């Protein structure tokens, strides 16, 4: 049986009523009338008793009541706390869930990401949450666009939209299971994108290699599913003189696709080894 003091119970149930998933000393002083030093001690005590889970210096996740009193197993869902965690840091709260984690929220990931991938303008250390993990990826400020606030159960979090998810995954497919996995993700996301928005984002990203890779992948996908031909044509007009490998981490060689100035060192459709939509 969890034995919380009266004041600890007050803190615990006040956090539940207000939908607070993450506690630190400053939050506790707003919930109850105690000094910050006393709040630190209360948090430490509640963690020792199993009502909180420590995730870093002075930061604690509130264990849900059904887990606390029914002894259910508990795995922290980082989606539920990421917004509070960023804002509780006291620094700039600019962030969004990105890459394969965003693709998963859009229902387009074929591989579950090993961690919650979060883009931020600052370098941050990863956070271990027992069996879960939050991995931060530093992103240039000029690429901080194309995200919106999503409701996730009782929480809210910033997530890249479908168009930005395509470009983020393609720019950093080393974080997303490889170029063939990203091509499969793109094939799903294409069903609900705005072509003009994708093209606008593409120009804002300023990544020539990514532009040419996207054009080739869209052209390959067009043999299997409906793809906006005008979008492919618009991207073709952005092709530069430099030749890039489709997969810079793949084998050397491969045929040159002259329209896209891409050396096709992997066959993204065959390498995916799945039944593509058709």
């Amino acid at each position: 049986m969890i034995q919380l003091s009266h004041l600890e119970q007050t803190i615990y149930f006040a956090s539940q009523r207000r939908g607070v998933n993450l506690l630190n000393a400053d939050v506790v002083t707003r919930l109850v009338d105690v000094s910050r030093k006393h709040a630190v001690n209360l948090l430490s005590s509640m963690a020792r008793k199993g009502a909180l889970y420590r995730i870093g210096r002075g930061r604690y996740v509130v264990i849900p009541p059904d887990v606390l009193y029914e002894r259910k197993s508990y795995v922290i869902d980082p989606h539920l706390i990421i917004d509070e965690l960023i804002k509780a840091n006291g620094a700039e709260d600019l962030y969004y869930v990105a890459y394969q984690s965003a693709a998963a929220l859009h229902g387009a990931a074929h591989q579950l990401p090993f961690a919650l991938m979060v883009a931020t303008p600052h370098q941050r250390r990863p956070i271990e949450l027992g069996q879960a993990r939050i991995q931060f990826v530093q992103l240039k400020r000029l690429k901080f666009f194309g995200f919106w606030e999503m409701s996730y159960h009782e929480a809210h979090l910033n997530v890249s939209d479908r168009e930005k998810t395509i470009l983020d995954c393609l720019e950093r497919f080393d974080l997303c299971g490889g170029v063939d996995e990203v091509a499969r993700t793109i094939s799903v996301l294409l069903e609900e994108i705005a072509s003009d928005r994708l093209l606008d984002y593409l120009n804002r990203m300023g990544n020539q290699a990514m532009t040419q890779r996207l054009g080739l992948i869209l052209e390959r996908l067009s043999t299997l599913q409906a793809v906006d031909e005008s979008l492919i044509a618009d991207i073709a007009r952005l092709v530069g003189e430099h030749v890039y490998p489709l997969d810079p981490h793949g084998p050397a060689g491969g045929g040159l696709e002259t329209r896209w100035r891409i050396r096709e060192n992997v066959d993204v459709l065959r390498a995916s080894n799945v039944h593509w939509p058709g």
Side-chain angles (χ1 to χ4, degrees):
M1 177 66 69
I2 302 293
Q3 296 290 337
L4 298 178
S5 70
H6 175 72
L7 191 52
E8 290 168 348
Q9 290 181 47
T10 301
I11 294 169
Y12 182 84
F13 290 111
S15 71
Q16 292 296 301
R17 287 194 304 273
R18 300 189 186 187
V20 176
N21 298 301
L22 188 72
L23 292 177
N24 60 25
D26 291 331
V27 174
V28 170
T29 60
R30 292 196 292 269
L31 294 176
V32 293
D33 186 18
V34 296
S35 68
R36 196 175 188 284
K37 182 178 180 180
H38 194 182
V40 170
N41 293 333
L42 287 166
L43 287 169
S44 179
S45 173
M46 293 172 70
R48 287 196 306 271
K49 294 174 181 178
L52 305 178
Y53 182 92
R54 185 177 183 274
I55 62 169
R57 186 175 180 181
R59 295 176 182 170
Y60 301 83
V61 174
V62 180
I63 305 298
D66 58 347
V67 176
L68 193 63
Y69 294 108
E70 297 181 25
R71 303 301 193 194
K72 292 182 180 178
S73 60
Y74 180 53
V75 177
I76 298 172
D77 185 344
H79 297 82
L80 295 175
I81 66 169
I82 184 61
D83 194 72
E84 290 181 65
L85 187 64
I86 294 290
K87 292 175 179 177
N89 192 50
E92 185 178 33
D93 59 3
L94 190 62
Y95 82 94
Y96 65 86
V97 174
Y99 307 105
Q100 207 69 354
S101 296
L105 288 172
H106 291 305
H110 294 80
Q111 296 178 4
L112 291 178
F114 70 92
L116 179 64
M117 308 296 291
V118 178
T120 70
H122 306 291
Q123 190 171 16
R124 292 174 179 262
R125 293 181 179 178
I127 296 177
E128 303 293 340
L129 300 168
Q131 299 178 39
R133 175 184 174 93
I134 299 175
Q135 181 72 45
F136 296 102
V137 181
Q138 188 174 11
L139 194 65
K140 293 180 179 179
R141 287 182 178 275
L142 60 86
K143 296 182 179 181
F144 253 88
F145 60 86
F147 58 93
W148 58 291
E149 185 177 84
M150 171 185 286
S151 295
Y152 180 89
H153 299 293
E154 69 270 24
H156 297 274
L157 65 165
N158 295 335
V159 182
S160 58
D161 60 24
R162 290 175 177 82
E163 294 82 3
K164 189 56 158 45
T165 299
I166 286 176
L167 300 183
D168 282 345
C169 286
L170 191 54
E171 185 170 55
R172 291 296 309 272
F173 53 77
D174 57 309
L175 300 175
C176 304
V179 65
D180 55 312
E181 173 64 18
V182 170
R184 296 201 300 174
T185 296
I186 292 172
S187 75
V188 178
L189 291 173
L190 276 175
E191 298 175 4
E192 297 184 73
I193 68 160
S195 296
D196 56 346
R197 184 181 300 129
L198 180 64
L199 192 63
D200 175 56
Y201 287 1
L202 188 61
N203 282 297
R204 293 173 67 180
M205 292 289 279
N207 184 325
Q208 189 64 48
M210 181 186 67
T211 297
Q212 293 172 210
R213 287 174 182 139
L214 177 61
L216 183 141
I217 289 172
L218 292 181
E219 187 171 75
R220 295 292 179 263
L221 289 177
S222 70
T223 66
L224 300 170
Q225 66 187 93
V227 180
D228 184 351
E229 291 297 330
S230 64
L231 172 62
I232 295 176
D234 286 336
I235 295 174
R237 285 189 278 272
L238 302 176
V239 172
E241 291 298 319
H242 193 80
V243 174
Y244 300 96
L246 180 57
D247 184 353
H249 308 291
L256 175 64
E257 172 51 67
T258 56
R259 183 185 189 187
W260 303 107
R261 306 293 290 167
I262 290 290
R263 193 162 296 283
E264 204 166 356
N265 59 343
V266 295
D267 183 335
V268 292
L269 304 190
R270 184 178 302 167
S272 298
N273 194 30
V274 297
H275 175 70
W276 286 80

